[in-house]
Amino acid sequence: SVKVWDIKNGGKELLTLQGHTGQLLTTNFSPDGKQLATTSEDKTVKLWDAETGQELHTFTEHTHFTSRVVFNPQGTRLASGSFDGTVKVWDLKTGSELLTLSGHGATVWAIVFTPDGKRIATGSNDETLRIWDAMTGEELLALPLPAASFQVIFSPDQTQLVVQGLSGTNVYLTQIEDL
């Protein structure tokens, strides 16, 4: 289960979100803080109302554990990674799958949208960094890395990308141009 606390008021527990049948792996708030997404070993991504705790939607199309979940900056789309090596992009209004990003050969641990929401960067245990068009799903760039990646962060101006290795000790800075 996921617990939500109010840290301003002495750490009072506000919500307990229950619904996954497997171990939880990651959570993330929407940009406006009104929704929360969770991933699990039950192969699903769940979307929750962060104020009421109501389950809004369950996304079930991954074929293996779901490893990461992020919202786009506009809060209209959700991207989820999986142990199946794919990233799925979902429309939050309809709950429909918009894109499947296939190209990684192992678990996708790292996903991030560019600040303008037009690109998605993904990192995997397959030791590659991939950049995709967030509207079409076209792969724009694939870069080899010396190790598996766990976290990817774009600079605010979208010209640089920081990749944290899965071991936690490796950090790579990549200059991105003309994407």
Side-chain angles (χ1 to χ4, degrees):
S1 64
V2 174
K3 295 190 179 286
V4 179
W5 288 278
D6 182 349
I7 58 173
K8 288 184 179 179
N9 294 313
K12 177 185 172 193
E13 184 179 320
L14 299 175
L15 299 171
T16 299
L17 309 177
Q18 295 181 321
H20 284 289
T21 58
Q23 180 178 337
L24 289 165
L25 295 176
T26 58
T27 61
N28 208 336
F29 274 102
S30 61
D32 63 7
K34 294 181 178 180
Q35 296 176 327
L36 184 68
T38 55
T39 67
S40 170
E41 289 183 353
D42 65 10
K43 304 178 189 175
T44 68
V45 175
K46 290 189 180 284
L47 183 66
W48 310 85
D49 183 301
E51 293 179 11
T52 67
Q54 177 184 357
E55 185 179 316
L56 302 173
H57 194 82
T58 300
F59 304 96
T60 60
E61 284 76 8
H62 281 291
T63 61
H64 209 309
F65 301 162
T66 51
S67 53
R68 182 74 66 190
V69 64
V70 297
F71 290 86
N72 71 344
Q74 297 77 20
T76 58
R77 292 181 173 201
L78 190 67
S80 57
S82 175
F83 280 52
D84 65 15
T86 66
V87 173
K88 295 194 179 283
V89 179
W90 314 93
D91 182 290
L92 292 180
K93 286 186 181 179
T94 65
S96 62
E97 179 183 332
L98 298 173
L99 301 169
T100 297
L101 309 179
S102 299
H104 286 293
T107 302
V108 177
W109 285 112
I111 308 171
V112 66
F113 283 89
T114 52
D116 65 8
K118 294 181 180 178
R119 306 280 186 260
I120 300 171
T122 58
S124 169
N125 277 2
D126 69 0
E127 299 181 359
T128 63
L129 170 73
R130 296 177 189 274
I131 299 180
W132 314 82
D133 184 295
M135 298 306 289
T136 67
E138 177 187 358
E139 183 179 297
L140 303 173
L141 181 66
L143 296 173
L145 296 173
S149 55
F150 186 70
Q151 186 173 9
V152 180
I153 302 168
F154 274 102
S155 63
D157 67 1
Q158 305 176 166
T159 63
Q160 295 180 322
L161 195 60
V162 175
V163 181
Q164 177 190 342
L166 190 58
S167 68
T169 58
N170 302 321
V171 176
Y172 312 100
L173 178 64
T174 302
Q175 190 77 23
I176 304 295
E177 295 181 23
D178 301 327
L179 287 181

